Amino acid sequence: TQLLEQSPQFLSIQEGENLTVYCNSSSVFSSLQWYRQEPGEGPVLLVTVVTGGEVKKLKRLTFQFGDARKDSSLHITAAQPGDTGLYLCAGDLTDSWGKLQFGAGTQVVVTP
Amino acid sequence: EAQVTQNPRYLITVTGKKLTVTCSQNMNHEYMSWYRQDPGLGLRQIYYSMNVEVTDKGDVPEGYKVSRKEKRNFPLILESPSPNQTSLYFCASSLSSGGDTEAFFGQGTRLTVV
């Protein structure tokens, strides 16, 4: 059983559409990160959120950390083909120092 | 250029033949870890190291060994590989173990055990 559940598992949209990816858990996290992974590459960090209710924006990407620090979402506005990739959330449990827990990922495909 | 380098990128081996996957980072990071990535399961931590000569088990350590004799290197050793260890492996390093610290990943090693 995954500690972090991501949904949906797969998302295929047209260029210009918006999308939201979710990351949920029953556990509380000290912090939560979002990574993007492209084929043949390792994950690359997009953002870290540490405060419950925090919202961070990175150009067309908006990240939110739930008030209870158990969930997070990633919203992409006007998606572009360059946004295609596997989006992974990763959390640091409050009582598990040194271990990042990863979700299974959401594969996003943006077609022109 | 700051990077984590893994070798080899691809490896096909037979059951029981010992192998080592090397990992090296040039960022003077204290914290290093190994993950395996399997479809539908995401990244699962195998072992991690807080510093030289300090290593500990992650979530799926069975069948793996590691060592940290130098700060920059963190090799992953499979003493007797089995087909269930066929996977995509990633080495990562970060300044510290805190979950709010950026983890830098290598490009991955795709291992097939037949």
Side-chain angles (χ1 to χ4, degrees):
Chain A
T1 305
Q2 295 282 142
L3 210 53
L4 283 166
E5 297 286 343
Q6 286 191 240
S7 61
Q9 287 185 305
F10 182 81
L11 199 50
S12 179
I13 60 170
Q14 298 275 77
E15 182 175 1
E17 293 182 335
N18 301 332
L19 69 98
T20 302
V21 175
Y22 300 93
C23 176
N24 295 298
S25 177
S26 57
S27 301
V28 177
F29 290 90
S30 302
S31 60
L32 201 134
Q33 298 179 318
W34 284 93
Y35 289 81
R36 180 169 68 211
Q37 183 180 12
E38 299 184 16
E41 302 291 331
V44 176
L45 181 68
L46 294 173
V47 78
T48 300
V49 285
V50 297
T51 306
E54 182 176 2
V55 176
K56 275 192 176 179
K57 293 195 174 187
L58 192 69
K59 295 183 181 177
R60 294 176 294 99
L61 277 61
T62 301
F63 305 86
Q64 188 161 8
F65 200 13
D67 290 339
R69 305 208 314 275
K70 293 183 178 182
D71 56 88
S72 180
S73 64
L74 156 60
H75 181 79
I76 302 179
T77 304
Q80 298 176 359
D83 295 325
T84 293
L86 179 68
Y87 289 81
L88 297 157
C89 64
D92 179 23
L93 281 170
T94 52
D95 61 353
S96 184
W97 193 56
K99 292 187 182 182
L100 259 186
Q101 302 289 338
F102 279 85
T106 294
Q107 181 65 51
V108 171
V109 176
V110 183
T111 52
Chain B
E1 181 191 354
Q3 58 185 9
V4 177
T5 304
Q6 290 178 232
N7 279 297
R9 290 289 309 275
Y10 302 91
L11 181 59
I12 301 175
T13 190
V14 295
T15 299
K17 186 177 181 181
K18 181 179 178 180
L19 67 93
T20 299
V21 183
T22 64
C23 174
S24 181
Q25 51 96 1
N26 64 359
M27 294 168 279
N28 201 37
H29 284 167
E30 291 190 346
Y31 186 82
M32 296 184 75
S33 56
W34 275 102
Y35 295 87
R36 59 179 289 173
Q37 186 174 32
D38 301 289
L41 295 177
L43 286 154
R44 293 179 294 168
Q45 193 179 54
I46 302 170
Y47 268 94
Y48 64 95
S49 171
M50 298 282 198
N51 212 325
V52 176
E53 303 291 3
V54 181
T55 63
D56 205 351
K57 297 177 181 178
D59 295 317
V60 288
E62 294 77 23
Y64 304 95
K65 281 176 55 178
V66 293
S67 69
R68 187 93 181 271
K69 293 184 168 53
E70 304 166 284
K71 199 170 187 178
R72 62 183 293 127
N73 296 323
F74 191 43
L76 179 69
I77 302 151
L78 283 72
E79 296 268 2
S80 183
S82 62
N84 65 11
Q85 292 179 297
T86 292
S87 187
L88 180 58
Y89 291 86
F90 287 100
C91 177
S93 77
S94 56
L95 209 52
S96 71
S97 61
D100 57 350
T101 306
E102 180 175 5
F104 294 83
F105 286 83
Q107 290 187 293
T109 296
R110 186 165 291 282
L111 172 66
T112 303
V113 184
V114 298

